[in-house]
Amino acid sequence: MLEVFRKFGSIQFDPIAVAGRNHDLVLHARVAGYEPAWCDLLYERREIFEATNKALSFVPTSEFPWFRHVMGRKGPRFHAAALAENAAVAERVLERIRADGPLSSLDFARETGPTKDWFGMPENAVRAVLEAHTVRGVIGLARRDGNLRYYDLLERLLPAELLAREVPEREQLRHKLLSRYRAHGLLGAGGAGGTFDRIAPPNSTPERTGRNTLREELVELGALVPVDVEGVRGKRFVLAEELALLQAPPEPTPSVAFIAPFDSLLWDTALLSSLFDFEYVWEGFFPPAKRRWGYYVLPISFGDRFVGRIEPRIDRDRARVEVLNVWWEDGFAPRRADGFIDGMRDALRAYLRFASADRLDWAPHLATEKQLFLTRP
């Protein structure tokens, strides 16, 4: 698991858990026998921490010095204002944490203040100052209980030598930019889908270094290498240490994996279309009538191809997984793809273990798939 974190730099966290939380699905697709409790253990052991890296993400704790200057979800100006406008609340919250140790927002009475949430509605000032203190590097997340976060003083969470290490801000920005190239593996100069949000604007100004300059510096330092990909428009960039994978790629194995909607592999939908001939759109925010596939659908990879999509639901109360639908790519026939049937059965058995389920139920219209992939835990 730590090797996956090191290779990716970070893994996006998302609380939606209908088919498994995003970071758990990312690890499940790459670590044999993965169980969600394993990531929780890394978190409790302080081997990973949370930071904004494109979105809220888990990052190896060893990288903390490069994530001191973070934007947070809403930007440093917003969080600085939250502390200034709710100064009394901010001090009370900090005093309680100093005295009592890890606390969540539920350990405090709700406080009103001028801070607004995403939708312009009054936000609980306690939650606002907890997040702002985190962005400012005063407190950090001690643990999660589901999606409930517990905060403690940063000096009680991380080693003193790690906290004492200072990295110049420009180097931090380069590091974050490089981490997103690392996570995807083949991004272009402009990224895709907000890939470079919360690092820097494209062009430099007297006040800020732009990400185009940061990328050029990474190329000059030899960390990034520009490459041309046949059939793909524009330059792409790979990490120097991974260039050998392009020059001598390994043979793809006939394994099947279900890919999380916010997996970094799916960031660049234009690349998916041109390189893999696979159309991908996450439809969670679409009204049901406008969804072509479904609410929480996982692309299916087989070897070095995307061959379809699956829509599973985990019913934790009844310890079962429901498969609501499956869509195969045009031209793909499961029976005719050498090794696919066994690979899909293995993937479904692994998913049942991942979901702590002992039963797999198929929607009535999937009778063919049910027979084809007859699976027991």
Side-chain angles (χ1 to χ4, degrees):
M1 286 170 57
L2 286 172
E3 181 62 19
V4 175
F5 274 104
R6 282 191 288 266
K7 282 182 178 292
F8 280 32
S10 65
I11 297 176
Q12 183 171 337
F13 173 86
D14 188 85
I16 299 173
V18 292
R21 296 174 301 179
N22 184 77
H23 67 279
D24 287 323
L25 288 166
V26 169
L27 290 163
H28 166 66
R30 294 166 173 86
V31 178
Y34 174 78
E35 298 176 15
W38 296 358
C39 195
D40 295 336
L41 181 61
L42 285 185
Y43 197 85
E44 291 171 11
R45 285 162 44 176
R46 310 283 184 260
E47 295 193 59
I48 57 176
F49 74 102
E50 292 187 30
T52 305
N53 197 28
K54 179 181 182 290
L56 184 62
S57 300
F58 289 133
V59 180
T61 300
S62 59
E63 300 220 336
F64 174 79
W66 288 271
F67 284 85
R68 283 187 182 275
H69 293 280
V70 295
M71 299 285 286
R73 292 181 305 152
K74 304 173 186 176
R77 184 177 300 176
F78 176 92
H79 296 297
L83 292 175
E85 294 169 353
N86 302 280
V89 177
E91 184 56 33
R92 285 199 298 272
V93 165
L94 213 50
E95 286 177 359
R96 280 279 312 278
I97 292 174
R98 284 195 189 102
D100 300 341
L103 298 174
S104 77
S105 60
L106 296 184
D107 292 311
F108 299 87
R110 183 182 177 89
E111 301 261 11
T112 58
T115 311
K116 301 291 194 297
D117 66 14
W118 287 106
F119 306 103
M121 301 296 290
E123 184 175 27
N124 181 357
V126 171
R127 294 187 64 181
V129 301
L130 283 169
E131 184 172 358
H133 277 316
T134 304
V135 171
R136 297 290 291 271
V138 177
I139 61 176
L141 269 69
R143 70 179 190 275
R144 278 182 175 271
D145 183 2
N147 291 324
L148 184 63
R149 293 180 280 187
Y150 285 79
Y151 300 83
D152 201 357
L153 298 178
L154 205 57
E155 64 257 30
R156 296 202 288 235
L157 297 176
L158 298 179
E161 61 272 19
L162 200 64
L163 291 172
R165 183 170 182 186
E166 294 286 346
V167 175
E169 185 172 356
R170 193 184 189 102
E171 187 177 334
Q172 291 185 46
L173 294 174
R174 281 201 302 260
H175 184 86
K176 282 196 273 284
L177 186 66
L178 186 64
S179 78
R180 299 187 197 178
Y181 277 105
R182 177 186 293 112
H184 182 270
L186 208 61
L187 284 173
T195 311
F196 300 139
D197 283 357
R198 302 186 178 94
I199 295 179
N203 300 312
S204 297
T205 67
E207 295 79 26
R208 298 183 66 185
T209 304
R211 59 176 182 257
N212 290 335
T213 299
L214 296 171
R215 186 186 64 255
E216 291 166 5
E217 290 175 358
L218 288 170
V219 172
E220 290 172 2
L221 290 167
L224 274 183
V225 179
V227 298
D228 292 309
V229 180
E230 184 178 352
V232 175
R233 294 177 59 187
K235 290 282 184 185
R236 293 279 158 172
F237 296 86
V238 299
L239 270 66
E241 64 260 31
E242 295 180 352
L243 193 60
L245 290 173
L246 289 182
Q247 296 166 336
E251 285 296 317
T253 59
S255 60
V256 172
F258 305 145
I259 308 301
F262 307 115
D263 194 301
S264 55
L265 178 61
L266 306 179
W267 284 354
D268 192 339
T269 55
L271 182 70
L272 289 176
S273 178
S274 61
L275 192 60
F276 294 100
D277 194 26
F278 183 74
E279 181 183 349
Y280 177 73
V281 178
W282 186 63
E283 299 179 325
F285 290 131
F286 290 15
K290 292 191 175 181
R291 291 175 188 153
R292 181 177 174 185
W293 294 292
Y295 167 57
Y296 208 85
V297 174
L298 311 179
I300 302 171
S301 71
F302 172 53
D304 58 358
R305 305 168 59 191
F306 286 99
V307 298
R309 297 166 173 81
I310 187 169
E311 186 176 15
R313 288 289 180 277
I314 300 174
D315 185 339
R316 293 171 178 82
D317 293 334
R318 292 189 282 181
R320 68 173 185 170
V321 169
E322 303 171 277
V323 180
L324 305 185
N325 217 333
V326 176
W327 301 262
W328 303 113
E329 287 292 277
D330 291 343
F332 180 76
R335 288 190 179 89
R336 294 202 295 269
D338 189 29
F340 180 75
I341 301 296
D342 288 340
M344 186 68 173
R345 288 173 177 167
D346 287 344
L348 289 167
R349 280 192 289 267
Y351 189 76
L352 281 172
R353 291 194 299 272
F354 167 79
S356 299
D358 54 22
R359 178 177 167 185
L360 184 66
D361 290 344
W362 297 82
H365 68 282
L366 298 175
T368 300
E369 282 78 10
K370 178 180 180 179
Q371 183 65 33
L372 203 56
F373 308 121
L374 186 63
T375 302
R376 293 183 177 86

